Amino acid sequence: MKPLAELMRPTKIEDFYGQKNILGENKPLYKLIKNKMIPNCILYGPPGTGKTTLANIMANYVDRKFYKLNATTASIKDIQEITESLNTLMNYNGVVIYLDEIQHFSKKQQQALLEFIENGKVTLIASTTENPYFSIHKAIISRCNIFRFEPLDSEDIIIGLEKSLKKLIENGIEVSYTREALKYIGEISQGDYRKAYNILELCINSQSKNKKSITVEEIEELGQSHMRSDSSGDEFYNLLSALQKSIRGSDPDAGVHYLARLIESGNLIAITRRLGVIVSEDIGLAHPNALTVVNSGLELALKVGFPEARIILSELVIYLATLPKSNSAYMAIESAIKDLENMNFGDIPNHLKDCHYGGAKNLGVGGYKYPHSYPNNYIKQQYLPDELVGKKYYKSCHNKYEEALEKYWEKIK
């Protein structure tokens, strides 16, 4: 039996379900396909969301020869051979090349693509699971329309699974199913159509009896509900971003949720690095001791390793999410670096320069006042370069620790 994903792959735009954000009847891409005006485009989104299926459908709507290549194994030579055959193709007005996983082409290979798509004889449909603005050459992006695919919701997946099962039944295969089972598959496939089809197919093929049954119990026995996620690509970095933003937003429940999803990737190093950033960027001077606590906790997590490290990480995430927040340290260094890039920041004041060498006085170096020799260990003197006098990089945030410091220095100064 053919894989279900191939058996049920739609060939008409009306049969494509999901991605209504770009393929609704009034959406531009839907109209372009129906009018047989296929543009150079990049289909971007997670695996199993219909990119390859849509590319095949688009090819059916144009009077052009369709070629499918995968950038992990293809080369520019393959594309050259296709274009060289253009003059021998009868009744075809050019070709459509579908290049899957275009991010695997080097920048040099991507640049070489330009000459093929600029003369109009080749229509390029590329797909990628990685953010095209990071992984694809700017010159190609400027010549292509980018369409973003979203993870499918459970209802879209259920519709697809029901159509697959009806197709099997029409072909004489006895199979019964419950909607709860299809809903369960939709949930554990996490928006990936291909994964959902594979789970359904595995469930059917694993049964030796003539009449197959698709139930929640049958699906659970397959052990497919806890597949480890990839620790690279957009989705992983989106999870890291969501974890940080949840902690910054003081939501421990969301923080633990995204931590759990990150733990599934198995990339302990990436998680600890991000928590190390969060403690300084988002907690900062609102609770300076957090830096020591988190550093100790992260060292312990790395020493223990998974699976037990998940408990330590959970404690740290909850700890950080529930602490008061301050980004004053982050904003201070960002502002200072920006000035380095955009201003003439001047020379170090002479009295701050190293004077522990013979001849320093002859160079005008000296005059530093040692703060510890004065009351309260403070004496007013210039520290910033002349060009930056009066510049404020550190601006305290409203929290107990920084407000106490501010009052202290107001009194001293």
Side-chain angles (χ1 to χ4, degrees), residues 285 327-340 343 378 383-397 402 405-407 409-410 413:
L285 291 169
N327 70 340
S328 58
Y330 168 75
M331 295 302 292
I333 192 62
E334 286 294 297
S335 180
I337 290 173
K338 186 177 180 181
D339 278 355
L340 294 186
M343 291 181 64
Y378 174 77
Y383 290 98
L384 280 169
D386 291 342
E387 288 79 357
L388 295 177
V389 169
K391 186 75 176 182
K392 290 278 289 182
Y393 290 118
Y394 169 62
K395 298 176 182 177
S396 63
C397 289
E402 288 184 273
L405 286 178
E406 191 169 18
K407 288 179 181 178
W409 284 111
E410 281 178 1
K413 292 182 178 182

Side-chain angles (χ1 to χ4, degrees), residues 101-120:
E101 302 295 342
I102 188 176
Q103 75 273 10
H104 290 295
F105 261 17
S106 67
K107 285 192 175 181
K108 187 175 181 181
Q109 288 175 307
Q110 291 185 28
Q111 283 178 310
L113 275 175
L114 294 174
E115 65 175 282
F116 301 116
I117 63 177
E118 284 185 328
N119 60 21

Side-chain angles (χ1 to χ4, degrees), residues 80 84 97 107 122 187 224 282 307 338 403:
Q80 287 174 332
E84 287 170 1
I97 296 178
K107 285 192 175 181
V122 170
E187 289 172 350
Q224 301 298 300
D282 297 306
K338 186 177 180 181
E403 286 177 348

Side-chain angles (χ1 to χ4, degrees), residues 338-359:
K338 186 177 180 181
D339 278 355
L340 294 186
E341 297 170 347
N342 299 291
M343 291 181 64
N344 174 16
F345 43 83
D347 193 17
I348 299 170
N350 282 337
H351 61 282
L352 298 183
K353 293 179 180 177
D354 179 21
C355 62
H356 295 91
Y357 59 91

